[in-house]
Amino acid sequence: MDGCFDLMHYGHANALRQAKALGDELVVGVVSDEEIVANKGPPVLSMEERLALVSGLKWVDEVIPNAPYAINEQFMRSLFNEHKIDYIIHGDDPCLLPDGTDAYALAKKAGRYKQIKRTEGVSSTDIVGRILSSAEHTLVSEKGDESSLNHKQCEGSHISQFLPTSRRIVQFSNGKGPGPNARVVYIDGAFDLFHAGHVEILKSARQLGDFLLVGIYPDHTVR
Ligand code: CTP
């Protein structure tokens, strides 16, 4: 699977989870900064930060940095011959190049393309929009013009559409609890806009024990 994975979110995690379930090993191509600029506009996070995020996910076995945005002939051959990839996977949203052609046309033609279901309600673009609208809200509040945008309205526009049903939680979990003599460690936080620093601290915390339990503050605590 390849992608930009900018401001990595649960839609990306769900995509990688589904991709891993389609095979034994999951190789992820992280699109280069230059290719993102040329095809979508500048990313928020750098290549190194996006790599740290993707590599930290339990479903990812290997990463290819600086991948092209479109699967071209040369890159596709290197995926098949050097990385021994069987299938190229993408979400079921159309991925078009600036000239309107399909970025996965070659992989589809070669019969080596598979699709997973895109997670509704979240994207990197949507997250940037949420940040901009909360910055706008802060500016309005600082000017003291509370009547034009009240707190309730602002909360409403940020409500996630992700439904953490018990089935979904089981799909995301390891299904493993701590062993009888395990040293269990706990870390808590907001983990808002999950970034490379979060990956680092979670790795460090995990090294202090055999089982890491993570507490996530509720929205009202973070506010
Ligand atoms: N993806 C997904 N569900 C989402 C967002 C992304 O399944 N809500 C999948 C895409 O289909 C793709 C992979 O995650 O296979 C990487 O997506 P990316 O290139 O980072 O795109 P988006 O998150 O959609 O970013 P943008 O809003 O900038 O288009």
Side-chain angles (χ1 to χ4, degrees), residues 1-7 9-16 18 31 36 40 69 89-93 95 104 116-127:
M1 167 169 269
D2 59 0
C4 306
F5 302 101
D6 194 18
L7 298 173
H9 50 71
Y10 59 80
H12 292 139
N14 200 25
L16 294 166
Q18 293 177 79
V31 177
I36 303 178
K40 298 177 45 160
Y69 188 79
I89 299 164
H90 188 262
D92 58 6
D93 50 310
C95 186
Y104 295 89
I116 50 99
K117 201 170 155 11
R118 187 179 165 90
T119 307
E120 295 301 324
V122 70
S123 73
S124 308
T125 312
D126 166 64
I127 291 173

Side-chain angles (χ1 to χ4, degrees), residues 14 36 61 64-65 76 85 102-103 114 122 173 186:
N14 200 25
I36 303 178
D61 297 295
I64 303 177
M76 189 169 81
I85 279 165
D102 181 352
K114 280 185 194 252
V122 70
S173 82
Y186 177 75

